[in-house]
Amino acid sequence: AGANFGYTENSTGATPVLVFDGVNDSVPVGNLGSNTTFTVEANIKLAKVSGWQVVLNSDNWTTGSVHFQFTGNKLMCAVNSINDFVFDHDFTSNVDNWMHLAVTMDVSANTKVLKLYVNGSLDQTISISSALGTINYNTATVGGWSNGRFLSGAMSDLRVWNTVRSDAQISSSAANQFGISGSEPGLLRWYKLNEGAGAALLDSSNH
């Protein structure tokens, strides 16, 4: 089922956001392509920290597929045939509070580098050696995977890039909700998630 639009208090006041019930809500976003670099960022409010909860997962689980999801109170970015990267940050204290999350992925060199940013600040960097050189977001879904792993909470201002965003760019994203034009290089999708009603997500990117 598609997630429900609802009015929820977020970091900029009463604004429509996309609410996920944790039972059967998820939203397919189609083919995001393959690349050596990606950045995924969004404002998220978790209702709980238990089980698997998807932010943005590849629909498949084949070589290079990405699963960007919570596992209990930790955030995982798993890349098939490279590793299951689990960041150390404990999100228990973030339940019921809005936060800006960003993960950058760079597999262009033999040393793969993933970074987690929380509320605009770099939280952790993970590096690992691997021969695999491509990430595949070929067909992806927000908020669930394979009829399960449903997100319980709310989301706003979801952006997907085929570049590694800089520290300064991610800090700006965290401080400025909806603060881009949509024409920025590398922007694949920009879902403001503020429609307030309806059954479809509006992509505000100009690409």
Side-chain angles (χ1 to χ4, degrees), residues 28-29 156-159 189-193 201-204:
V29 293
S156 174
D157 201 5
L158 172 63
R159 310 174 190 181
R189 302 287 173 84
W190 179 24
Y191 298 112
K192 295 181 180 180
L193 307 181
L201 302 183
L202 175 64
D203 179 11
S204 294

Side-chain angles (χ1 to χ4, degrees), residues 31-54:
N31 188 354
L32 302 176
S34 300
N35 205 39
T36 58
T37 55
F38 278 98
T39 298
V40 179
E41 56 180 332
N43 293 320
I44 296 175
K45 182 168 75 169
L46 293 173
K48 65 176 185 178
V49 283
S50 62
W52 299 93
Q53 297 189 79
V54 169

Side-chain angles (χ1 to χ4, degrees), residues 129-199:
S129 295
S130 172
L132 183 68
T134 303
I135 299 171
N136 297 317
Y137 254 133
N138 297 329
T139 70
T141 296
V142 176
W145 183 73
S146 190
N147 294 316
R149 304 187 185 184
F150 294 111
L151 179 67
S152 181
M155 189 181 300
S156 174
D157 201 5
L158 172 63
R159 310 174 190 181
V160 184
W161 311 79
N162 63 7
T163 60
V164 171
R165 301 288 282 172
S166 69
D167 291 5
Q169 289 169 329
I170 290 173
S171 177
S172 177
S173 294
N176 299 285
Q177 188 179 37
F178 312 138
I180 57 176
S181 69
S183 299
E184 290 77 2
L187 182 63
L188 296 175
R189 302 287 173 84
W190 179 24
Y191 298 112
K192 295 181 180 180
L193 307 181
N194 65 345
E195 289 88 340

